[in-house]
Amino acid sequence: MESAQKHKLAGWGNYPVAESYTVNPRNEEDARGDLNKGRVIARGLGRSYGDQAVNEDQFVAVCTKLNHFLKWNEQEGILECEAGVSLEEIILTFGPKGWLPMICPGTKFVTIGGAIANDIHGKAHHIDGSFVNCVLSFTILLADGTIAEASRTENADLFWANFGGLGLLGVILTARLKLRRVETTYFKQKSIKIKNLDHMLEALEQYDHDYNYSVAWIDALAKGPKLGGGVLTLGNAAKLSELPENLKSNPLKLHATSRLTVPFFLPSFVLNGLTVRMLNKVIAFVQNSPKEFVHYEKFFFPLDAINNWNRGYGKRGFIQYQFVIPEDNGKKNLTEILEMIAASGCTPFLNVFKRMGEGQGILSFPFKGYTLAIDFPVTKNLLSFTPKLDAKVLSAGGRLYLGKDALLHESTFKAMYPQYEQWMAIKRKYDPGNRFTSNISRRLGLEIA
């Protein structure tokens, strides 16, 4: 067991930055020893955007060395692995066998523990739901040093509270997952150029029943009759018989290691209104692809093609602001929100729009409605604007994704997630002494008083 070193840590948005003592457990014994050092939060590959896996002046257990496969049942497609295993490691190992993760977010560089803590979702939420739907059970190191198994039938309260629970109930050690059988690693896709918000909502209503995967890029700077315009991309897993001959020779092709990288933090002035408008035109062109068949790497993980792309926002960092609102009055509320963003003086970039299916869990983010994720560089304007945006989302009956949040106030969080009291009762049961803490737990009041 190693001694802890103090480091500056941040999430993927490089905001906020906090000095934390880091440890790197390699096994169950290490993890239990690290628990005895003080208050701790588990961390994976650091792809949560905000302060979910930083712990000012406390301990952070970086669990990426807990990344071993334990059992594989090919008959049923069930994998048991340590929680530090990444989606990329699963794809590289099981993709050639004809298996892929059931739920894929926008990056493959996420650990299973992180996927559970944030209850990640992807382009198929309206069909497949969130990550909880592919997890059969997991083991977790609790505050008293014991290890519990949690499933839908055993310690069910602990099971459900961990999905979206931000790692605040313990250190997840292992998990049993259901993978998806595939004939190819390609997707058959359709791209539709969208004129405005009316057209966007009509297209989603028309096509979501026929395509398992759907996601839209929206030009958040557009105004007037073009408000809500962009490109809608739809897709289904491609069958071997559907592939053109030039792809059939290697139907389970894997991704190559990317050589592209952003080597340093770009100057803050690079992203401004003019450059974002230019980049939006490039994104619209790329998204509106005429290709009928596309590899999973481009379909699921387009940004993974550029290493350290988060440095493009400069040292000031950025936030990803993701909300979901109900479909009732959805057009009216989305119009008002998009108008607020366009007039805010902030610089919205990489704006992703989806329709979500039914929600589940306690602090899990998704519910049936519309979700928009926007990247904002951190500025003084942004820090004064987001509370106004929070209030609008709340008034629309919506909430923010805690797995990406960096700025939400405690009172607004509790209004958005009134079920937090149910979660707090489970926290009191399993961690009454607040052994598991983080910056976001203190910011949102997710600690025992």
Side-chain angles (χ1 to χ4, degrees), residues 388-408:
K388 300 172 186 174
L389 200 52
D390 296 343
K392 176 57 191 173
V393 170
L394 178 61
S395 71
R399 61 192 184 207
L400 302 194
Y401 188 10
L402 302 183
K404 294 179 178 177
D405 171 61
L407 295 171
L408 189 61

Side-chain angles (χ1 to χ4, degrees), residues 16-281:
V17 178
E19 290 198 346
S20 310
Y21 293 97
T22 60
V23 290
N24 299 84
R26 294 175 177 269
N27 51 45
E28 178 185 305
E29 181 183 354
D30 283 355
R32 188 178 281 112
D34 293 334
L35 182 59
N36 293 328
K37 293 177 179 178
R39 296 185 173 184
V40 66
I41 192 69
R43 179 182 175 100
L45 289 166
R47 289 302 180 110
S48 295
Y49 281 77
D51 52 0
Q52 294 78 7
V54 298
N55 206 7
E56 184 79 44
D57 294 327
Q58 300 292 333
F59 291 84
V60 173
V62 181
C63 297
T64 50
K65 293 180 180 178
L66 292 165
N67 65 337
H68 300 94
F69 297 125
L70 302 175
K71 292 180 184 177
W72 168 238
N73 182 332
E74 189 158 11
Q75 293 280 62
E76 299 183 35
I78 296 174
L79 171 66
E80 184 175 350
C81 64
E82 291 182 322
V85 166
S86 70
L87 293 186
E88 183 189 38
E89 289 167 327
I90 291 175
I91 291 169
L92 290 175
T93 302
F94 295 95
K97 303 176 190 290
W99 298 90
L100 288 178
M102 282 189 64
I103 311 293
C104 288
T107 177
K108 59 186 176 294
F109 302 122
V110 57
T111 63
I112 297 305
I116 292 172
N118 295 299
D119 197 19
I120 61 170
H121 58 273
K123 296 179 179 181
H125 186 270
H126 63 293
I127 301 293
D128 292 334
S130 54
F131 200 72
V132 65
N133 285 349
C134 71
V135 178
L136 303 177
S137 65
F138 58 80
T139 62
I140 182 171
L141 175 64
L142 298 175
D144 62 3
T146 62
I147 295 174
E149 181 159 353
S151 69
R152 290 166 178 79
T153 56
E154 185 176 3
N155 296 313
D157 59 345
L158 187 60
F159 179 84
W160 288 106
N162 269 281
F163 288 91
L166 305 171
L168 295 171
L169 297 171
V171 178
I172 296 171
L173 298 174
T174 68
R176 291 176 65 244
L177 317 170
K178 187 82 170 65
L179 302 189
R180 168 168 285 145
R181 175 64 107 169
V182 295
E183 294 183 25
T184 80
T185 52
Y186 289 87
F187 289 81
K188 190 175 182 180
Q189 74 168 11
K190 177 184 180 72
S191 295
I192 303 169
K193 192 171 183 180
I194 299 296
K195 301 173 187 176
N196 51 38
L197 186 58
D198 278 335
H199 187 199
M200 178 71 75
L201 300 185
E202 289 168 5
L204 285 172
E205 182 65 31
Q206 178 180 351
Y207 291 107
D208 261 4
H209 306 289
D210 300 322
Y211 291 88
N212 288 345
Y213 300 89
S214 66
V215 66
W217 166 82
I218 279 186
D219 182 357
L221 293 178
K223 299 179 181 179
K226 294 184 179 180
L227 185 79
V231 178
L232 174 62
T233 303
L234 307 153
N236 285 320
K239 297 178 180 179
L240 182 59
S241 60
E242 295 175 322
L243 287 187
E245 291 302 319
N246 64 316
L247 298 181
K248 282 184 178 178
S249 61
N250 188 10
L252 295 172
K253 179 183 175 182
L254 296 177
H255 64 276
T257 301
S258 175
R259 295 182 179 180
L260 295 175
T261 190
V262 179
F264 51 81
F265 289 98
L266 296 183
S268 298
F269 62 79
V270 170
L271 277 184
N272 55 52
L274 176 62
T275 58
V276 167
R277 283 185 174 85
M278 293 171 60
L279 288 168
N280 278 344
K281 291 184 182 297

